[in-house]
Amino acid sequence: MPLLGNLIVTIITSLVAWLAKYLTQKTAVTIAIVAVISALLLALYAAVRVAMSSAIAGLGSVHPMFAAGLAMVISPATQQCITGYIAMWSLCELYKWKFTIMQLWSRTI
């Protein structure tokens, strides 16, 4: 009986150790993927905001009549609209990319 008990304890211990290693590895990779995706999305958002702000600030150096014409065509909310549009599509592409990465990653583990 002690031999059977020792075998059961060894099997359960090795199973728990393997499960802990597997879940720890999976969690670490998932956290790393989420961190990278978040950083890339934040960088994309900042780049779009800087590009739009510099373009709008550059309009101050043009002829006043040209600036007035642009102001009639381009709404003051254009920067927010373009930023929202780009952010929405980048989120869609990011989701598809993340889904593909997760599928490939799940096949390797």
Side-chain angles (χ1 to χ4, degrees):
M1 272 319 234
L3 188 60
L4 182 61
N6 195 13
L7 177 66
I8 291 174
V9 168
T10 304
I11 289 174
I12 290 175
T13 305
S14 63
L15 179 65
V16 168
W18 176 82
L19 191 60
K21 179 184 171 191
Y22 176 74
L23 290 177
T24 304
Q25 177 187 10
K26 192 173 186 177
T27 303
V29 170
T30 303
I31 289 173
I33 288 172
V34 168
V36 167
I37 288 171
S38 299
L40 288 175
L41 186 61
L42 184 64
L44 175 68
Y45 177 75
V48 168
R49 294 293 292 194
V50 166
M52 292 301 294
S53 296
S54 63
I56 289 173
L59 288 178
S61 64
V62 299
H63 192 273
M65 292 303 289
F66 182 70
L70 281 177
M72 283 189 268
V73 175
I74 298 175
S75 169
T78 301
Q79 181 179 5
Q80 289 83 10
C81 292
I82 291 175
T83 303
Y85 179 78
I86 291 173
M88 189 254 325
W89 280 110
S90 64
L91 280 174
C92 291
E93 292 300 318
L94 195 62
Y95 176 77
K96 288 193 288 187
W97 177 69
K98 183 178 88 164
F99 188 75
T100 305
I101 292 290
M102 289 297 207
Q103 281 182 337
L104 292 174
W105 179 68
S106 67
R107 290 180 192 159
T108 61
I109 293 179

